[in-house]
């Protein structure tokens, strides 16, 4: 049975401090049509009123975090597993954001993903790996958490914090580094969210999206706009590479391409862009294609991509 767009529930949750900060950003930018929760062992207030706080493991940790222990993070999620399951009731697509390396994100996020998947949601995790200077202990905690999280996520975007250093030409101060990472996490969640919701309004339904993103491992997202002479080539180049994220779309097994342009766009141009993007994926990739006219774009043409099973 097809699921109607207006009954499709999308749930975005943060786990731990970094995850919740980025979810607060998403909620501020995209306030409607999505349900937001901020899951933490630490009960300090969240930055956005649109995100409903969910305390976990309060019996054990008294709401004061879990001091970097992933075991404590996991125990907290297990203590409140029934609550976690209830968050994902009727959810069609779930996003789980976390900064890996601390106790709550690394320890609890896999159990949160498990709850989302058990509820039947397409489960997409978006996480960061710590900076090198945070030390090997935090990196090991992050890597163990990541391995667990992969088991329960349909799709995952991993952003190494070290890459964030190259994502801007502006000087990154220590004070704003984590804020910048919050932004990267937020941007990733927002991009996938936009593509999924927009694409589904056109000719792509949730069954198509499930076909590409269920059990799809690492995914890559790219967005680009271009105008003027040779806009097609410039658009392809900037959509298919992304400095901030480690993964490229080489040999992707699944691809969602969503294009928009005004009514004067030629069939030839749409054809060229779609073909060239598809060429970057595996030859037998499952390609889902969506298009919408947008007369507000003027001379601009816009593309969004989600590539799955990237290496
Ligand atoms: N995006 C973001 N990342 C952060 C922030 N502070 C730390 N981090 C990164 O995220 C990782 C996890 O940190 P937190 O999110 O604070 O940890 P937590 O999941 O709350 O875990 P505990 O506090 O140990 O229970 C760190 O190792 C950093 O790499 C922040 O304010 N924003
Ligand atoms: Mg914390």
């Amino acid at each position: 049975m097809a699921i109607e767009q207006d009954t499709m529930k999308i749930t975005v949750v943060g786990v731990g401090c970094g995850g919740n900060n980025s979810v607060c950003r998403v909620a501020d930018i995209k306030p409607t049509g999505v349900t937001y929760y901020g899951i933490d062992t630490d009960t300090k207030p969240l930055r956005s009123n649109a995100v409903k706080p969910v305390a976990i493991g309060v019996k054990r940790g008294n709401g004061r975090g879990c001091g970097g222990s992933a075991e404590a993070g996991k125990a907290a999620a297990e203590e409140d597993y029934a609550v976690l399951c209830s968050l994902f009731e009727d959810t069609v697509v779930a996003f789980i954001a976390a900064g890996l390396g601390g106790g709550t994100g690394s320890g609890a996020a896999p159990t949160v993903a498990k709850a989302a998947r058990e509820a039947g949601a397409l489960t997409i995790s978006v996480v960061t790996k710590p900076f090198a200077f945070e030390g090997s202990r935090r990196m090991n905690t992050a890597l163990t958490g990541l391995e667990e999280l992969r088991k329960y996520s349909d799709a995952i975007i991993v952003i190494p914090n070290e890459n964030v250093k190259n994502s801007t030409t502006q000087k990154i101060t220590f004070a704003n580094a984590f804020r910048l990472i919050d932004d990267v996490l937020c941007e990733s969640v927002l991009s996938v969210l936009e593509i999924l919701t927009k694409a589904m309004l056109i000719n792509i339904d949730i069954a198509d999206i499930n076909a590409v993103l269920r059990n799809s491992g690492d995914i890559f997202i790219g967005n680009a706009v271009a105008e003027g002479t040779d806009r097609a080539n410039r658009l392809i180049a900037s959509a298919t590479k992304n400095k901030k994220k480690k993964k490229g779309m080489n040999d992707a097994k699944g691809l969602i391409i969503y294009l928009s342009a005004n009514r004067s766009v030629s069939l030839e141009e749409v054809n060229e862009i779609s073909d060239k993007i598809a060429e970057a994926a595996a030859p037998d990739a499952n390609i889902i294609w969506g298009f919408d006219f947008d007369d507000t774009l003027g001379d601009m043409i816009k593309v969004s991509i989600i590539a799955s099973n990237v290496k």
Side-chain angles (χ1 to χ4, degrees):
M1 194 180 81
I3 296 164
E4 297 298 326
Q5 166 71 18
D6 59 353
T7 61
M8 201 186 73
K9 186 177 164 201
I10 296 176
T11 305
V12 177
V13 304
V15 188
C17 175
N20 287 338
N21 282 345
S22 55
V23 166
C24 287
R25 295 276 169 85
V26 178
D28 287 342
I29 298 168
K30 192 173 170 53
T32 55
V34 178
T35 312
Y36 299 97
Y37 296 106
I39 300 167
D40 210 339
T41 55
D42 187 335
T43 52
K44 66 175 184 274
L46 295 170
R47 290 206 304 238
S48 168
N49 292 331
V51 181
K52 197 165 172 247
V54 178
I56 54 168
V58 175
K59 272 194 221 142
R60 287 160 184 270
N62 298 315
R64 293 196 200 104
C66 49
S69 160
E71 288 72 29
K74 184 174 184 200
E78 283 171 350
E79 179 183 308
D80 286 302
Y81 192 65
V83 175
L84 296 177
C85 290
S86 71
L87 306 182
F88 298 105
E89 240 165 60
D90 303 320
T91 295
V92 177
V93 184
F95 286 92
I96 293 156
L100 297 180
T104 307
S106 315
T111 307
V112 174
K114 185 173 171 217
R117 234 186 177 184
E118 267 177 21
L122 172 71
T123 303
I124 303 173
S125 298
V126 186
V127 295
T128 56
K129 283 204 284 194
F131 283 109
F133 67 71
E134 294 184 67
S136 59
R137 189 175 180 275
R138 271 181 107 75
M139 183 56 89
N140 288 336
T141 302
L143 293 178
T144 309
L146 182 58
E147 209 179 303
E148 278 300 293
L149 189 57
R150 282 188 194 282
K151 291 184 195 161
Y152 302 108
S153 305
D154 285 298
I156 193 159
I157 298 175
V158 183
I159 305 153
N161 283 356
E162 287 289 327
N163 287 16
V164 175
K165 284 182 187 165
N166 309 322
S167 70
T168 172
T169 49
Q170 283 170 355
K171 185 175 176 215
I172 304 172
T173 60
F174 188 66
N176 75 9
F178 286 127
R179 207 183 151 81
L180 210 83
I181 293 158
D182 291 344
D183 285 345
V184 177
L185 268 177
C186 160
E187 224 181 273
S188 302
V189 173
L190 214 58
S191 308
V192 183
L193 200 58
E194 286 289 309
I195 298 170
L196 296 190
T197 48
K198 272 195 203 143
M200 279 185 279
L201 282 173
I202 313 302
N203 59 356
I204 302 176
D205 63 23
I206 187 67
D208 294 324
I209 285 167
N210 271 320
V212 172
L213 293 180
R214 282 273 175 194
N215 299 313
S216 64
D218 286 87
I219 62 171
F220 164 87
I221 53 168
N223 300 294
V225 291
E227 60 187 326
T229 328
D230 201 29
R231 63 180 185 174
N233 279 325
R234 282 184 288 109
L235 188 75
I236 295 157
S238 56
T240 52
K241 66 166 194 281
N242 192 332
K243 278 197 294 192
K244 279 180 211 156
K245 292 135 201 152
K246 197 179 90 194
K247 309 279 176 181
M249 57 178 286
N250 309 350
D251 302 322
K253 293 206 181 82
L255 192 57
I256 297 171
I257 305 173
Y258 178 74
L259 270 168
S260 45
N262 78 18
R263 274 162 212 280
S264 68
V265 68
S266 71
L267 179 62
E268 196 187 354
E269 201 174 19
V270 169
N271 204 68
E272 184 194 351
I273 294 167
S274 307
D275 275 357
K276 290 233 171 96
I277 290 174
E279 271 169 26
D284 60 345
N286 181 8
I287 297 173
I288 310 278
W289 185 88
F291 181 88
D292 192 18
F293 287 117
D294 181 350
D295 288 322
T296 66
L297 284 174
D299 180 45
M300 254 179 334
I301 188 158
K302 213 167 148 181
V303 70
S304 303
I305 295 171
I306 304 178
S308 68
N309 301 94
V310 294
K311 288 177 188 144

